[in-house]
């Protein structure tokens, strides 16, 4: 019986160590790793919250196309959506951050029920 006790204790410590190594480290102040679809969305959220223009430009898809649909009630039915590409988006994001001021952006994506792609 004593042999079993000694074998279980190291095994339990090993499992505890493995479990601790795999605990999520995504806290509100930490940059999420954009290596999954959910991680990428969280990284975009982080970029807005921290106004990180460099990272925003890095994780932006090369095929990105932005589309701004005008407010139909305000501008009428005939307004054409405005489109821009990947080359322009980092500059637009920088302008947005400058206009908002430091710490004034708080993007929250409700991804609690996200199930993956």
């Amino acid at each position: 019986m004593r042999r079993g006790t000694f074998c279980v204790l190291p095994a339990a410590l090993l499992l505890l160590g493995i479990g601790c190594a795999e605990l999520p480290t995504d806290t509100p102040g930490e940059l999420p790793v954009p290596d999954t679809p959910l991680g990428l969305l969280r990284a975009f959220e982080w970029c807005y919250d921290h106004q990180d223009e460099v990272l925003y430009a890095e994780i932006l898809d090369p095929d990105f196309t932005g589309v701004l649909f005008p407010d139909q009630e305000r501008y009428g039915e005939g307004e054409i959506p405005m489109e821009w590409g990947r080359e322009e988006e980092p500059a637009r994001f920088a302008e947005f951050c400058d206009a908002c001021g430091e710490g004034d952006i708080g993007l929250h994506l409700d991804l609690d029920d996200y199930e993956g792609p």
Side-chain angles (χ1 to χ4, degrees):
M1 194 132 121
R2 287 186 175 238
R3 254 188 231 184
T5 303
F6 289 109
C7 290
V8 171
L9 183 58
L13 291 174
L14 177 65
L15 289 175
L16 281 174
I18 291 171
C20 291
E22 304 224 349
L23 289 175
T25 58
D26 185 19
T27 59
E30 271 187 59
L31 169 64
V33 179
D35 60 352
T36 65
L38 181 59
L40 182 62
L41 290 172
R42 290 289 182 213
F44 272 111
E45 185 177 47
W46 192 91
C47 286
Y48 271 86
D49 291 347
H50 294 87
Q51 299 183 11
D52 190 333
E53 299 168 25
V54 174
L55 179 63
Y56 183 82
E58 284 179 22
I59 64 176
L60 199 59
D61 189 82
D63 297 325
F64 172 85
T65 300
V67 180
L68 179 62
F69 292 95
D71 184 350
Q72 298 296 322
E73 291 178 17
R74 185 180 216 181
Y75 298 108
E77 294 292 322
E79 288 294 315
I80 299 171
M82 183 173 53
E83 293 186 15
W84 62 93
R86 165 69 176 87
E87 302 78 34
E88 297 174 62
E89 179 61 15
R92 288 181 182 264
F93 182 70
E95 290 170 6
F96 178 70
C97 291
D98 289 343
C100 289
E102 188 158 337
D104 290 341
I105 301 174
L107 178 65
H108 175 73
L109 301 174
D110 186 6
L111 300 170
D112 293 337
D113 296 328
Y114 179 78
E115 295 178 11

